């Protein structure tokens, strides 16, 4: 979209090249990752699991905006990837489910080594998690 700015300043450089926006966005993401990631899997979770979906969407937007001016932060990506150890799936509504690994792979892919869990075993871990949820549900129903 053209904003009619004088001097042929590109729209991409106005947003993606904004160093203040970049540093604020980065710091906000780091704080949110720490804040939301800490409470996941606890007996009583402070933040709803949909906050994880919002965090990942914000990260994908961040990567999209700043992709032309900076390289992705591998530590931030790994932190998000590791959240699926505690939360491999998020129930959105009814039978609609959201998978963190699929979202990252589709909307913010990054080739990096040392991911935990390994991308090749993510589906297996997800099935184990869902199986455990089913078993826990049956046990609670029998109580």
């Amino acid at each position: 979209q053209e904003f009619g700015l004088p001097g042929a300043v590109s729209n991409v450089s106005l947003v993606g090249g904004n160093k203040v926006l970049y540093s604020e966005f980065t710091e906000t993401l780091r704080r949110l990752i720490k804040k939301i990631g800490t409470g996941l899997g606890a007996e009583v979770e402070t933040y709803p699991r949909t906050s994880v979906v919002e965090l990942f969407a914000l990260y994908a937007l961040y990567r999209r905006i700043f992709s032309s001016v900076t390289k992705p932060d591998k530590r931030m990506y790994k932190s998000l990837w590791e959240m699926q150890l505690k939360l491999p799936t998020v129930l959105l509504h009814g039978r609609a489910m959201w998978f963190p690994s699929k979202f990252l792979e589709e909307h913010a892919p990054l080739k990096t080594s040392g991911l935990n869990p390994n991308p090749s075993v993510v589906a297996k871990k997800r099935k184990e998690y869902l199986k455990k949820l089913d078993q826990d549900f049956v046990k609670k129903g029998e109580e």
Side-chain angles (χ1 to χ4, degrees):
Q1 180 178 353
E2 181 56 51
F3 293 104
L5 298 169
V9 176
S10 97
N11 301 331
V12 174
S13 67
L14 287 174
V15 178
N18 186 327
K19 292 178 183 177
V20 174
L21 179 63
Y22 173 76
S23 65
E24 288 294 323
F25 214 131
T26 303
E27 188 55 37
T28 299
L29 278 172
R30 285 191 179 124
R31 275 190 266 119
L32 285 172
I33 289 169
K34 185 176 180 182
K35 183 169 127 179
I36 293 172
T38 303
L40 283 179
E43 186 69 29
V44 177
E45 292 180 353
T46 308
Y47 301 99
R49 291 177 173 223
T50 52
S51 297
V52 175
V53 179
E54 294 165 0
L55 171 62
F56 277 62
L58 197 59
Y59 176 74
L61 176 65
Y62 166 82
R63 288 276 306 276
R64 181 79 136 192
I65 290 172
F66 300 109
S67 64
S68 63
V69 293
T70 186
K71 292 182 180 176
D73 183 343
K74 290 182 181 181
R75 285 183 294 167
M76 189 181 295
Y77 186 85
K78 284 182 178 183
S79 295
L80 289 167
W81 184 265
E82 288 172 358
M83 277 189 188
Q84 67 185 308
L85 290 171
K86 296 178 184 175
L87 188 67
T89 183
V90 175
L91 180 63
L92 297 175
H93 181 75
R95 294 175 29 190
M97 299 187 89
W98 178 82
F99 306 116
S101 60
K102 283 188 176 184
F103 183 85
L104 283 177
E105 289 170 347
E106 289 177 23
H107 300 286
L110 180 63
K111 301 264 190 232
T112 187
S113 60
L115 290 177
N116 182 27
N118 189 304
S120 63
V121 298
V122 166
K124 181 182 174 193
K125 294 243 184 226
R126 186 182 312 130
K127 285 179 186 175
E128 290 170 2
Y129 175 80
L130 292 171
K131 193 175 208 173
K132 184 181 180 310
L133 279 180
D134 283 346
Q135 291 168 350
D136 291 349
F137 182 75
V138 170
K139 286 179 188 174
K140 287 203 184 250
E142 293 173 351
E143 291 177 356

